[in-house]
Amino acid sequence: MILRLLIRRFLEAIPVLFVIYSVTFLLFQLTPGSPFQAEGRQAIPPRALEKIEEHYGLDNPWYEQYARYGWNALRGDFGPSYYQPGRDTAEIIGDALPITLQLAALAFALAFVFGLSLGVLSAVKQNTALDYFVTATAIAGISVPSYVMASFLVAILAVGVSLGGTTIGGQLLPTGGWDGLLSTRVIIPVIALASYPTGELARFTRASMLEVINQDYVRTARAKGLRETAVVRRHILRNALIPVITVAGFEASFLIAGSFFVEAITNVPGMGRVAVTALVQRDHPLIMATVLLFAVVVLVVNLLVDVLYLFLDPRIRYR
Amino acid sequence: MLQATGVAALGLAAYGVTGCEDEDERGETGDGELAEERGGELAEEQTLRIFSNEPTEIGPGATPGAANSFTRAFLFNGLYVYDKDLKVVPGDAEGFPESSSDGLRHRIKLRSGLKWSDGRGYGAEDYVFSVRDVQLVEIANLSDFFIKGVEEFVSGETDDPGVLGVRALDDETLEIETTIPAPFLPAYLAGSYAWWPIPRHKWEQYGPEWSLQDDRVSNGPYVLDTWAHNQHMVFVRNPEYQGPAANLDRVEATIFADMFGPAPLAAFEAGELDLAIAAPDDIERVLANSDEFNSTIVGSLIDLNCIVLNTNKPPLDDVRVRQALYLAIDREAIDTNIWKGVNQPIYKFINGEQPGADPDARPFPGDGPEKARELLSEAGYPGGDGFPKLEYISYGGGYEVVAQAIQQMWREELGIDIRIQALDAAAWVAAVVEVDPDADWGDLADAFPNQIFLDPVVLLGPLFDGGGRDYHHHWQYPPGLKERKDRALAVTGDERHRELLEIDLAIAREMPLIPYDRLRELLARKPYIVGGHQSNGYAWQQARYYQILKH
């Protein structure tokens, strides 16, 4: 069944990616101006611009460019970057993607562990002070956008805030950058990235748990004399996790594909920063590669979630 | 004492500084102050931490871009460079050009023993190769118009780079031919990176991507020791460098997605950088705490904000209308409210440190909105009645806000209205600059005349000649003014200054473009960084002269 699912999803992905490729290519063609004039206020001299466009094949008819580029993309060759000459798009992504994946993985792990734990606690201790505290914290995490959180953490922890002549915080952590996953530089971006999904997972887990807690089979389990931890672990959590997994999957793909602002603010050289820079510079090959990459990430994560469902809920069968 | 200490501390004796006109300069900070007068001793480690974008190229003739500019200013040296006081001094050249009696041929003697950082020698032939065969043919444009052959090449009349007026008379002598007398030639050579040499042996080995290889070489004060893409670059001293003193031992550049955004300033405040430019949203805060940020406003060499007018189209073909539009703009209000006091209001085209600049001179001294209304009425539009709604193509971003402010001013003072179309950079270039000169591109647009060296020869040349090269205003000189302008550009000394001022005012009164301010930026600098002139466009040539005090 898993194999059937994989094949079906693969076949479904083809038209999706084809449409994304075509729409993105069309936008490139329809946007006025040369992609090489996207920076600064001074025009590149005409002869220089001609040579550049010839070098990148932009002097060919649009349908030739569409076919050639699409064929190369299928083979994983997105060509050279317009703004980082001498570097292939694949090389640039190869440098940036592992960084984003590491950050996203750490942020996701934090969000999953804390979000789930807080959600479970909140549900089990429903309508207590702990429940209210967790709920309020979760709402705060959801309400504050990640880029605001990043700016806030940089201001407090790295730069310092002046209050009545006294500096609070500052120089406790670096403003950002990248020195590997074990460096203090990751603390601010990871917390900023994890804050929203933590809050959302906590809220979803709580809601899902509460729905399951009141089911008959849970009452039966308690009536049979099972310890509360066993009831939670074996009967409540496993069933409550199913919708939570859906949300977690969405959050995971968002962490990879939505780290734009946090990476820009904390100067992490990941995919988010590459994507933002590519968009501003109109680096078409890099834009196309990042758009397709993010689409693939979302498709793969959704597939993984569906596969996980098969293990979590034996009732689920995919036709 | 300090000079000897400075030399010892900086290890300059090993670098054969043969070009420095005055050895005393090596121990000095910018603005003529000595480090010791600032109350500090030089730090043992002269390492500067700066900000940058990811450079797209690091060769001399690279495409425009701030990051490209600063890397090549560290890595390369030209025939002439700007020193710490923004004076042009010999770089690879030995002394200043000897010009023929008609001022059209200029011989430049190169220093002996010039070497790339890998020890390979170079001379006049390499300069000719770099300029004629590689760089000028790629980027010949507005600023190079007076070099013999450039106009024919740019217009497509010929594809033969041999027409360019540059040749090697022998291995140490270069001859440059110009179409007009060029007393400003050293300034041009200092600012035009197309004239800075590339290593022929690397070009022949790798082609255009030579500068991206790990075994790249430099002839400037530094070599690129480390380049972690999109993360950082590290520059260290070039042992083969000959030229004006460079004080720093090492430069560490952190690469940001946006070097003019908020992240570099945050890093500066956290003590991770020694310099940062304040982003627009941070300007007020930095100005309010100027002691803490040790901030100064740095002016670009020549980077103007103007409005170009299509003088082919009524009512802009009437000079009274153009003058009215000019007089109804409150430049101080734009600078104060939009640029927060950082940009500098301007009323004509020659400004700053250029010959012919006079900050108090005005095309219409004492006149303002009242006179504007009078002129508009004389032109047949009293109170704006019957005035058509003009199209204004704006660059977008902060410039869209300026366009909206101007729209408001014209509405209130003159009773006329405009429609603003804000475009991104590439679309603006396509709509305003690259458009067919004979096509109807519109009525008004943002325009950014800039010049890469301190002389108005380009501002008063292709910007206005022939209806405008980059900005198609279609205005033509009144009889006699162009000849007077060409004569003024060719003379030297005080007479040149006086003549250029008069011509600038005469052109400004015609208003093919309306100048309104000059681009500047707010630089925050740690107090232990001293030296370097406060210029922006070539700040990184100035950064060579920074010194780090003990802190």
Side-chain angles (χ1 to χ4, degrees):
Chain A
M1 186 176 26
I2 292 179
L3 185 62
R4 265 209 320 267
L5 177 66
L6 286 172
I7 292 171
R8 203 175 85 204
R9 284 301 172 82
F10 176 77
L11 292 173
E12 285 171 359
I14 294 172
V16 169
L17 293 174
F18 176 75
V19 167
I20 291 173
Y21 168 73
S22 300
V23 168
T24 307
F25 184 88
L26 185 64
L27 286 172
F28 291 161
Q29 298 301 310
L30 293 177
T31 308
S34 166
F36 301 100
Q37 301 279 27
E39 279 203 316
R41 310 177 317 167
Q42 309 306 323
I44 295 174
R47 290 190 79 129
L49 188 60
E50 254 175 55
K51 285 199 89 157
I52 293 170
E53 292 189 339
E54 189 188 314
H55 175 74
Y56 288 103
L58 298 187
D59 55 336
N60 295 328
W62 69 266
Y63 47 84
E64 235 181 83
Q65 293 179 47
Y66 178 78
R68 192 192 67 232
Y69 195 83
W71 172 241
N72 288 340
L74 271 175
R75 298 178 302 148
D77 176 12
F78 290 91
S81 158
Y82 286 173
Y83 276 91
Q84 298 186 45
R87 299 192 79 208
D88 265 353
T89 304
E91 186 190 339
I92 296 168
I93 291 180
D95 284 347
L97 185 60
I99 294 173
T100 294
L101 286 177
Q102 288 176 74
L103 270 187
L106 187 53
F108 181 77
L110 273 177
F112 195 79
V113 166
F114 281 100
L116 239 65
S117 306
L118 290 172
V120 167
L121 263 176
S122 186
V124 165
K125 300 286 181 189
Q126 187 188 3
N127 294 327
T128 64
L130 180 63
D131 180 24
Y132 301 145
F133 173 75
V134 170
T135 301
T137 307
I139 290 173
I142 294 168
S143 306
V144 177
S146 58
Y147 56 88
V148 173
M149 180 64 74
S151 302
F152 175 75
L153 291 172
V154 166
I156 297 289
L157 299 176
V159 175
V161 175
S162 182
L163 276 177
T166 310
T167 303
I168 314 279
Q171 306 204 6
L172 298 171
L173 288 174
T175 55
W178 178 256
D179 259 340
L181 203 58
L182 298 178
S183 149
T184 52
R185 293 183 185 276
V186 308
I187 295 176
I188 288 178
V190 163
I191 293 176
L193 284 170
S195 61
Y196 180 91
T198 301
E200 192 167 68
L201 285 171
R203 296 284 298 152
F204 257 95
T205 303
R206 180 185 183 275
S208 191
M209 290 273 297
L210 288 176
E211 204 177 297
V212 170
I213 270 174
N214 296 317
Q215 296 295 316
D216 288 342
Y217 58 86
V218 173
R219 196 179 305 118
T220 305
R222 283 197 180 111
K224 283 196 298 184
L226 274 178
R227 284 194 320 272
E228 189 59 22
T229 49
V231 171
V232 169
R233 202 176 62 246
R234 282 191 226 157
H235 296 281
I236 299 176
L237 197 56
R238 188 168 169 177
N239 291 299
L241 269 183
I242 295 170
V244 174
I245 294 296
T246 306
V247 173
F250 175 77
E251 291 301 334
S253 55
F254 183 75
L255 279 172
I256 297 169
S259 56
F260 288 28
F261 297 115
V262 171
E263 287 187 5
I265 290 167
T266 56
N267 204 31
V268 171
M271 282 303 303
R273 208 176 97 179
V274 163
V276 167
T277 309
L279 282 166
V280 168
Q281 289 177 335
R282 288 214 206 171
D283 192 337
H284 290 175
L286 207 41
I287 294 173
M288 182 65 84
T290 50
V291 165
L292 291 173
L293 176 67
F294 289 148
V296 166
V297 163
V298 171
L299 289 168
V300 166
V301 171
N302 283 343
L303 174 62
L304 286 174
V305 166
D306 288 342
V307 168
L308 208 51
Y309 271 1
L310 291 174
F311 293 98
L312 284 176
D313 189 349
R315 296 169 299 177
I316 290 176
R317 289 289 177 271
Y318 294 108
R319 290 186 197 82
Chain B
M1 172 64 178
L2 173 72
Q3 288 140 20
T5 304
V7 168
L10 301 174
L12 278 173
Y15 297 105
V17 180
T18 59
C20 195
E21 294 295 333
D22 180 4
E23 292 228 349
D24 289 348
E25 288 179 6
R26 279 181 290 183
E28 289 184 354
T29 66
D31 309 320
E33 285 182 319
L34 296 172
E36 67 182 12
E37 288 180 8
R38 290 283 197 103
E41 245 178 86
L42 290 176
E44 209 171 293
E45 203 180 281
Q46 294 290 304
T47 296
L48 182 71
R49 299 169 306 165
I50 57 174
F51 56 95
S52 176
N53 282 349
E54 174 78 2
T56 60
E57 294 172 63
I58 53 175
T63 48
N68 297 351
S69 293
F70 105 77
T71 52
R72 60 192 170 199
F74 281 138
L75 297 174
F76 298 95
N77 206 44
L79 292 165
Y80 298 93
V81 294
Y82 286 101
D83 77 354
K84 62 177 178 57
D85 297 316
L86 217 58
K87 288 200 298 288
V88 176
V89 296
D92 275 0
E94 193 173 271
F96 287 90
E98 287 175 13
S99 300
S100 57
S101 54
D102 59 4
L104 300 182
R105 284 192 318 281
H106 315 269
R107 287 195 186 176
I108 298 171
K109 190 98 173 61
L110 272 58
R111 295 176 198 276
S112 302
L114 293 172
K115 287 185 189 164
W116 294 102
S117 53
D118 61 357
R120 181 99 163 223
Y122 68 95
E125 285 288 354
D126 300 273
Y127 262 95
V128 172
F129 168 77
S130 301
V131 169
R132 186 187 65 195
D133 298 338
V134 179
Q135 306 200 116
L136 204 54
V137 301
E138 294 286 322
I139 73 165
N141 62 5
L142 202 68
S143 289
D144 311 287
F145 77 98
F146 58 89
I147 301 294
K148 184 178 172 216
V150 165
E151 290 278 281
E152 293 94 306
F153 196 83
V154 168
S155 67
E157 253 179 67
T158 178
D159 274 334
D160 175 17
V163 304
L164 293 173
V166 59
R167 65 187 62 84
L169 298 181
D170 55 50
D171 201 43
E172 288 183 357
T173 311
L174 204 57
E175 183 173 85
I176 298 171
E177 280 189 82
T178 56
T179 56
I180 58 173
F184 49 81
L185 187 64
Y188 163 75
L189 294 171
S192 174
Y193 287 112
W195 286 83
W196 290 31
I198 60 168
R200 185 171 191 161
H201 58 299
K202 293 298 177 185
W203 178 272
E204 286 169 351
Q205 187 179 359
Y206 296 115
E209 291 171 4
W210 68 271
S211 69
L212 303 171
Q213 311 303 319
D214 289 337
D215 60 344
R216 69 183 75 83
V217 297
S218 314
N219 74 328
Y222 303 98
V223 293
L224 185 56
D225 182 60
T226 311
W227 186 2
H229 290 285
N230 293 302
Q231 294 189 51
H232 60 262
M233 290 183 286
V234 176
F235 302 82
V236 298
R237 284 192 180 277
N238 173 6
E240 300 291 350
Y241 172 62
Q242 293 189 45
N247 295 328
L248 301 166
D249 294 325
R250 182 181 167 93
V251 181
E252 295 171 356
T254 303
I255 296 174
F256 294 86
D258 180 4
M259 62 191 277
F260 301 113
L265 189 68
F268 173 89
E269 291 180 88
E272 296 165 10
L273 293 180
D274 297 323
L275 301 168
I277 295 283
D281 289 339
D282 290 317
I283 286 175
E284 277 187 31
R285 181 170 67 88
V286 172
L287 285 174
N289 298 283
S290 57
D291 284 344
E292 179 195 331
F293 288 96
N294 193 34
S295 62
T296 46
I297 292 176
V298 291
S300 62
L301 285 187
I302 304 157
D303 220 335
L304 308 182
N305 294 333
C306 300
I307 302 168
V308 57
L309 295 82
N310 189 345
T311 66
N312 263 358
K313 294 180 71 173
L316 299 175
D317 56 348
D318 188 329
V319 67
R320 292 168 299 184
V321 169
R322 301 199 297 270
Q323 290 169 350
L325 296 178
Y326 165 90
L327 286 169
I329 294 176
D330 183 348
R331 289 157 177 76
E332 300 288 343
I334 291 173
D335 182 47
T336 303
N337 297 311
I338 299 174
W339 305 123
K340 311 297 182 196
V342 173
N343 278 9
Q344 181 186 40
I346 59 171
Y347 299 85
K348 51 188 181 40
F349 301 102
I350 302 179
N351 299 279
E353 293 91 353
Q354 298 182 74
D358 180 344
D360 298 321
R362 299 277 187 275
F364 305 102
D367 290 335
E370 188 62 44
K371 180 71 177 176
R373 285 188 281 276
E374 214 176 281
L375 286 165
L376 197 65
S377 183
E378 279 174 29
Y381 306 101
D385 287 344
F387 198 90
K389 193 166 188 174
L390 300 178
E391 292 273 325
Y392 186 127
I393 303 173
S394 169
Y395 185 79
Y399 293 97
E400 188 183 357
V401 180
V402 172
Q404 289 166 353
I406 292 173
Q407 177 189 48
Q408 184 72 12
M409 290 169 190
W410 285 343
R411 193 181 286 144
E412 284 175 7
E413 301 292 357
L414 303 177
I416 67 172
D417 203 3
I418 59 171
R419 192 174 81 88
I420 299 168
Q421 187 189 7
L423 303 176
D424 77 347
W428 171 85
V429 168
V432 175
V433 179
E434 284 184 333
V435 66
D436 184 333
D438 296 323
D440 178 8
W441 56 265
D443 302 313
L444 308 157
D446 281 331
F448 308 109
N450 97 322
Q451 197 170 295
I452 54 175
F453 56 100
L454 277 176
D455 192 279
V457 65
V458 171
L459 283 184
L460 299 188
L463 186 62
F464 297 112
D465 293 350
R469 245 241 305 245
D470 273 359
Y471 300 108
H472 311 295
H473 46 70
H474 303 295
W475 172 79
Q476 302 293 333
Y477 284 93
L481 183 56
K482 183 172 187 309
E483 291 75 13
R484 189 179 166 199
K485 180 264 296 180
D486 289 339
R487 277 196 307 272
L489 288 174
V491 299
T492 56
D494 290 342
E495 188 195 345
R496 188 164 196 263
H497 187 98
R498 283 192 301 274
E499 272 296 282
L500 289 176
L501 174 60
E502 289 304 318
I503 288 158
D504 183 19
L505 290 170
I507 296 176
R509 287 184 197 111
E510 289 281 313
M511 290 302 150
L513 286 90
I514 298 178
Y516 63 85
D517 69 29
R518 181 184 157 200
L519 179 69
R520 301 191 303 183
E521 279 156 355
L522 190 60
L523 178 72
R525 188 166 82 162
K526 292 294 182 190
Y528 50 77
I529 307 291
V530 295
H533 191 276
Q534 296 308 335
S535 78
N536 173 41
Y538 291 85
W540 308 123
Q541 280 194 40
Q542 310 317 307
R544 301 177 176 195
Y545 309 112
Y546 282 136
Q547 290 174 301
I548 321 286
L549 299 180
K550 267 189 182 162
H551 58 278

